[in-house]
Every structure is written in C-alpha cells, then in structure tokens.
C-alpha cells in the first residue's frame, strides 16, 4: 500500500501540514503532537519520498512554473506577476510551456521534481486535482493558480468563474438579448466548465430556455474563436450575442463578423474575459471581464515562498479574487 502524508495525518489526528513540519524538523511543533506524528509514521511504516526529501534539503531559491500556453496574454501576465514578486523575494524562476498538452505537463512536472528547485507553481489545465494532490503528498512544494483545491499542503488562488458568467449574461439580457452564444474553451479546463456552469445559471435566472446549439467549443485562442463562430454562422441559427470564454477567442469572433459583414454591436454583441490590453484598442472596443491576473501570480508566489521557508501557512491558504465586467462598445447597445 502506498502510504501518503494524508494517511499519517489521519492516523495522528493532525493536519497534513503538521506532518510535513515534523518531517522537515520544524522546531515549533508541539512535542506531544510531534510524538503522535512520529508514532503514526512508525505504525504505518511511512517512508518519505526520497526525491522530495532531497528537493527540500537542497535550497536553491528557484521556483519552477508550468503554464499551458506562454503565448496567451493571460498566462504571460500571471508569469509576469510570479517573476516580479519572486525576484523581489530573491528567488529565480524556471518557466515551462506545456502547449496545452497533458503529456507535456506531466513531463515537465517530472522534470522539475528531478531537478533542484525549491517548489513548483502549476497554472495547468490538464492535470486533475488528484494528480496535483498526489505530488504534494509525496512531499513536493506545490502551489496552484486557477483551481480551488481543498488540501492543507496546496496553497491556491482563483477567481469565481460562475460569478463571471452570471454577470456577463445579466448584462446581455438587460440589453435585450435572449439568444446568447457561449464559446467555450477546451473542455478539460476548469475555467471552461465553470464558466459554462455560470452561463447556464445565468440563463436560468432570467427564465431563458437553454439552446444546446448555441454552445461551441474552442481552445482559448484566436483561431479557435474564428472557427467556432464560423461553424455557428454556417448552421443558420438565430442569435444576437456572443459570450466568449476569453478575449483571444473574441478576437476570432470579430474576424468572422467582418467577413460576414455583421455589425458589432448592432447585429452581434460580443463580451470576452480577461480584459487583455488589446480589448480597448479594437474597433469597436471589446467589453470584457477584468481579472486581477498579475495580482494572482504575485500573491500566490508570495504565499508560496512563505510556505516553503517556514513550512506553514501564514494566514489564509485559499484566495478567491474578485473580477469586474468592463462594458465597452461591443455590447453597450440596447436592442429594441
């Protein structure tokens, strides 16, 4: 049986973070608590992962980051926040671009665990919560951006995707739209299915029947947004608004509308997510949900470094940040 830190914690009646502190020799663990943990370790015959133990013992002030697509403005801003805060805290950063491949995410995760980095920050879309927790319970320092993971050993930061979608749908409905397209990202992404859930909830709150033909999938880039919008237009179905799961897909929607001589927002209203820099320079300017992307990276790495240095969480471990819909010309039009 593969014994994990969580098994030891359950046996000793403490948190996984406490077990980790005992394993790392943190001096401010209560002696009685430490004894319970050591007894549980002995009874369960738990052996800490050798690679993780080596990783903890060789401090290099280096953090590894895995992102799905460094070309994306969203991920680039997160990395910028991580790198700037890490530099301010005297840490170096190694960036791994997984190119939206689970195989590459796992390959890079293995690569980083085999190298002398103090910890890893994951902004991945393909790895499951269980896979991430399994690595953390082997003793590796892991932080997560964009997912809410309930585990003592994994600090995380995210925004409320359901709330984001409900806000967008409410805005479009107030402007007279009922036939609203949702352009989804890749299905395995947390952002995708949570924003889809919010879209469905938003429709339900306004008693608007769900039309499955108004859902199209992309993969969060401009080309996929263009292709998804083109497929919708070829179907010949009626709709008056498009909610794209990110701004880059919204750019593709703009291109498809231009080719079909559709006016924005008079014929089609468009709203994106992320509030990329280009949003306010498009013609017409793009309505978009502003997420504190840079702050997400900076705040998570600051908390992560505190965890690695002291092996305990300073204050909260889970951060949920607010977002705001920025209404611009692409949807600021009331249909009669």
């Amino acid at each position: 049986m593969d014994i994990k830190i969580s098994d030891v914690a359950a046996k000793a009646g403490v948190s996984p973070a406490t077990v980790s502190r005992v394993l790392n020799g943190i001096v401010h663990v209560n002696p009685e608590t430490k004894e319970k943990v050591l007894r549980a370790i002995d009874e369960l015959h738990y052996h800490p992962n050798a690679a993780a133990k080596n990783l903890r013992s060789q401090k290099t002030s280096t953090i590894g980051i895995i992102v799905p697509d460094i070309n994306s403005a969203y991920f680039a801003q997160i990395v910028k926040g991580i790198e700037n805060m890490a530099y301010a805290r005297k840490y170096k950063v190694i960036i791994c671009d997984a190119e939206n491949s689970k195989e590459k995410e796992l390959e890079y995760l293995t690569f980083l665990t085999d190298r002398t980095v103090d910890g890893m920050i994951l902004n991945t879309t393909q790895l499951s919560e269980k896979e991430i927790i399994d690595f953390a319970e082997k003793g590796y320092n892991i932080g997560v951006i964009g997912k809410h993971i309930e585990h003592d050993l994994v600090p995380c930061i995210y925004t409320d995707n359901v709330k984001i979608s409900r806000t967008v749908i409410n805005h479009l409905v107030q402007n007279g739209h009922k036939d609203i397209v949702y352009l989804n990202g890749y299905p395995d992404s947390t952002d995708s299915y949570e924003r889809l859930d919010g879209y469905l909830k938003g429709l339900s709150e306004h008693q608007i029947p769900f039309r499955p033909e108004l859902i199209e999938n992309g993969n969060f880039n401009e080309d996929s947004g263009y292709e998804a919008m083109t497929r919708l237009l070829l179907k010949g179905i009626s709709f008056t608004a498009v909610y794209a799961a990110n701004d880059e897909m919204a750019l593709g929607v703009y291109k498809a509308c231009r080719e079909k001589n559709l006016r924005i927002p008079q014929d089609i209203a468009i709203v994106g997510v992320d509030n990329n820099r280009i949003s306010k320079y498009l013609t017409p300017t793009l309505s978009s949900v502003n997420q504190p992307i840079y702050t997400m990276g900076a705040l998570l790495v600051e908390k992560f470094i505190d965890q690695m240095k002291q092996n305990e969480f300073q204050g909260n471990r889970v951060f949920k940040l607010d977002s705001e819909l920025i209404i611009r010309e692409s949807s600021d039009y009331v249909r009669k």
Side-chain angles (χ1 to χ4, degrees):
M1 179 180 177
D2 185 15
I3 304 299
K4 300 176 180 178
I5 286 179
S6 57
D7 299 319
V8 175
K11 179 79 172 176
V14 299
S15 70
T18 298
V19 175
S20 187
R21 287 197 289 273
V22 172
L23 290 170
N24 286 285
I26 302 300
V27 295
H28 52 269
V29 177
N30 180 283
E32 184 179 339
T33 300
K34 181 178 180 180
E35 178 60 31
K36 287 195 297 184
V37 171
L38 292 174
R39 191 183 310 121
I41 289 172
D42 183 59
E43 291 176 2
L44 293 173
H45 304 291
Y46 172 70
H47 299 286
N49 181 275
K53 187 175 181 180
N54 184 57
L55 196 66
R56 290 194 300 267
S57 64
Q58 300 182 42
K59 301 303 181 184
T60 62
S61 296
T62 303
I63 297 171
I65 307 170
I66 302 177
V67 295
D69 182 5
I70 199 63
N71 283 324
S72 164
Y74 173 83
F75 296 117
Q77 274 295 100
I78 285 179
V79 168
K80 190 67 174 175
I82 291 172
E83 200 280 331
N84 283 354
M85 179 58 73
Y87 183 80
R89 296 289 298 269
K90 312 299 183 185
Y91 272 75
K92 300 179 288 295
V93 170
I94 296 173
I95 302 169
C96 300
D97 180 6
E99 297 183 316
N100 297 314
S101 163
K102 181 170 183 176
E103 182 180 353
K104 288 193 74 173
E105 287 184 359
L106 287 169
E107 184 178 331
Y108 276 132
L109 194 52
T110 302
F111 165 80
L112 291 172
T113 56
D114 288 342
R115 297 301 185 275
T116 312
V117 295
D118 294 353
M120 294 158 281
I121 293 178
L122 309 181
N123 192 190
T124 59
T125 58
Q126 306 294 322
L127 294 178
S128 69
E129 181 174 320
K130 181 181 183 303
E131 288 169 320
I132 292 170
I133 289 174
D134 282 347
F135 269 93
E137 290 198 339
K138 290 175 182 176
Y140 297 106
N141 292 313
I142 290 182
V144 174
I145 295 177
K147 292 180 186 285
H148 180 192
I149 295 181
E150 283 294 342
H151 196 283
D152 285 348
L153 296 176
V154 185
C156 58
I157 192 165
Y158 67 103
T159 52
D160 190 337
N161 282 309
V162 173
K163 181 181 178 181
I164 284 172
S165 291
R166 290 170 62 192
T167 300
V168 171
I169 299 305
N170 184 63
H171 162 63
L172 291 171
V173 171
Q174 287 182 343
N175 279 6
H177 299 279
K178 292 184 178 180
D179 300 311
I180 303 169
V181 163
Y182 174 60
L183 295 189
N184 205 10
Y186 21 80
D188 292 336
S189 165
T190 299
D191 288 344
S192 292
Y193 61 73
E194 287 183 351
R195 288 175 192 170
L196 174 60
D197 184 35
Y199 165 82
L200 297 174
K201 283 182 167 64
L203 294 179
S204 177
E205 287 166 359
H206 290 281
Q207 292 81 49
I208 297 175
F210 168 55
R211 294 173 55 193
E213 68 271 20
L214 294 183
I215 305 292
E216 278 287 346
N217 286 319
N219 64 2
F220 288 126
N221 64 33
E222 182 178 347
D223 287 344
S224 71
Y226 170 77
E227 291 163 3
M229 185 63 175
T230 300
R231 290 194 299 270
L232 282 164
L233 294 172
L234 288 173
K235 290 179 184 178
I237 57 179
S238 62
F239 58 92
T240 61
V242 174
Y243 165 38
N246 77 340
D247 289 349
E248 296 195 27
M249 287 199 296
L251 290 177
V253 175
Y254 268 60
K255 179 182 178 183
C257 286
R258 284 196 302 270
E259 289 182 356
K260 297 297 182 180
N261 294 316
L262 293 171
R263 298 170 301 164
I264 304 170
Q266 294 88 345
D267 298 323
I268 302 288
I270 303 173
V271 180
V273 179
D274 292 339
N275 194 32
N276 287 351
R277 288 174 57 191
I278 196 172
S279 301
K280 57 187 176 183
Y281 298 114
L282 291 171
T283 304
T285 54
L286 174 65
S287 295
S288 183
V289 178
N290 182 54
Q291 298 191 88
I293 303 171
Y294 178 93
T295 301
M296 289 171 69
L299 182 58
L300 190 280
V301 78
E302 183 176 37
K303 184 62 58 175
F304 189 52
I305 291 171
D306 285 341
Q307 171 198 332
M308 292 191 298
K309 283 190 171 182
Q310 301 183 29
N311 209 27
E312 64 180 350
F313 299 107
Q314 305 300 298
N316 295 330
R317 178 189 59 79
V318 177
F319 296 87
K320 181 169 73 171
L321 302 186
D322 286 332
S323 54
E324 177 189 10
L325 174 60
I326 308 298
I327 299 173
R328 298 193 181 97
E329 295 168 344
S330 68
S331 67
D332 193 14
Y333 178 83
V334 178
R335 293 182 64 85
K336 306 298 184 182

